[in-house]
Each structure stands twice: as C-alpha cells, then as structure tokens.
Amino acid sequence: MESDANTLSSSPTFSHSSNTLSSSSPPQLVMTPCAACKILRRRCAEKCVLAPYFPPTEPAKFTTAHRVFGASNIIKFLQELPECQRADAVASMVYEAGARIRDPVYGSAGAICQLQKQVNELQAQLAKAQAEVVNMQFQQANLVALICMEMSQTPQESPQQSVDNFITSPSHSSGYQNNLSFFEDNTNLNSLWEPLWT
C-alpha cells in the first residue's frame, strides 16, 4: 500500500515536470513549400535549389518554365551556375519559356525579329524626316541668297539721283528736244508774218 501511495504521490510531480519541459521547448516552425515543390508535390528541403527563385506566391512562374524546360533540367542548370547568376538565369528561362509558349516556332527570336523590324522602320522614317529638314533648310538658304542678290543689284536712290536719272532718261530727253524744235518752228513762222503787218 505504501508503495502505491508513493507512486501516486510521485506521478503528479512527473507530469508537472513534463509540462514544464514541453512549455519551455520552442514551437516547431511549419515551412511553406516553394512553388516548385508544391507543384511537383514533393517535400521542400531546407536547402532547396528552387526555393529562392520560385516563391510560393508565384506558382505561374515555375509552371511556365516547367512546361518548356522541365524541372530536372532547371535544377541541373541552376546547380551548374554560381549563386550570383542564378536569379538572372531563372528570369531568362521564364522569359524564354513564355515566348516559346506564345510562339512555338520562333520563341523569343520571333519577338526579337519583330522589334528589329520596328527599329528599321523607325530609322527609315527618321532618315526621311531628316532629309526633308535638310531640303527645307537648303531652300530657305537659296531664298535668302536670292533676296540679298536682288537688294544688292537695285540699291535705293536718293531724290537728287532720281531727278537726274529722270532728266537724262532717253524718253525725257527726246521729248525735250521735240519741244525745242517746235519752239524754233514757231519763231520762224512769226518772222515770216512780220512783213505782212508792216
């Protein structure tokens, strides 16, 4: 009986100590698997190669790359690269996979060709506009030169020069000479009529 009592009296102490140990232990962390492991339905390890680049909030990112390259090829490719280049490699793979899904024949090369075509068209338009600008500048320069030439050939005359030019002009001098001859003719006629009156 005494042994049973001792057992009963000691059992609460044991349970209390077990409660104390359980309360002092840190809680277990529940790790969310990355998008790659979640889609592949496998356990996400602590040092998962895909976890830093395919977070659980972006499942479409891994789905796109997985459809074109496959999970094993992605893992193998990332393991062969240093960590400083893996993020750029994942971005390139996701872009290439998206382009390949949109254009199964040409992939990203088709997008590059389309952009190069647009660049060539814009360069042609720019060259045409620059040629038109040069042509307009050339026409403007010719017009200014022509105006300056006209102004240099016909200088502005002073009033005295205008009068002198008018007097010495052929039409005015011929008219003046005609008037003189007419006056001389009248004088001769008067001299003929004078004897008749006397």
Side-chain angles (χ1 to χ4, degrees), residues 1-144:
M1 293 295 292
E2 291 180 358
S3 61
D4 294 337
N6 291 333
T7 304
L8 291 172
S9 61
S10 61
S11 61
T13 306
F14 178 77
S15 64
H16 178 69
S17 62
S18 63
N19 291 333
T20 305
L21 291 174
S22 63
S23 62
S24 63
S25 62
Q28 294 181 354
L29 298 176
V30 178
M31 294 181 62
T32 304
C34 65
C37 294
K38 190 175 182 180
I39 292 172
L40 296 175
R41 296 179 181 179
R42 68 180 188 181
R43 183 176 177 274
C44 189
E46 183 179 356
K47 295 183 179 180
C48 179
V49 181
L50 303 174
Y53 314 106
F54 299 102
T57 56
E58 299 178 0
K61 189 176 179 181
F62 179 77
T63 303
T64 303
H66 177 53
R67 285 180 58 184
V68 176
F69 297 102
S72 60
N73 291 329
I74 296 173
I75 294 172
K76 182 179 178 181
F77 186 64
L78 291 178
Q79 288 176 345
E80 292 175 353
L81 292 175
E83 292 185 3
C84 59
Q85 298 179 359
R86 291 179 181 178
D88 294 335
V90 169
S92 299
M93 282 190 290
V94 172
Y95 178 79
E96 174 65 28
R100 184 65 62 180
I101 291 172
R102 290 190 301 270
D103 189 354
V105 177
Y106 296 105
S108 60
I112 294 172
C113 293
Q114 185 67 25
L115 293 174
Q116 187 64 41
K117 183 179 179 181
Q118 293 179 4
V119 169
N120 293 334
E121 291 176 355
L122 292 175
Q123 287 179 347
Q125 294 178 5
L126 179 61
K128 184 179 179 180
Q130 289 176 346
E132 291 178 356
V133 169
V134 171
N135 190 15
M136 293 178 66
Q137 290 177 348
F138 182 73
Q139 291 179 357
Q140 183 180 5
N142 287 340
L143 182 60
V144 171

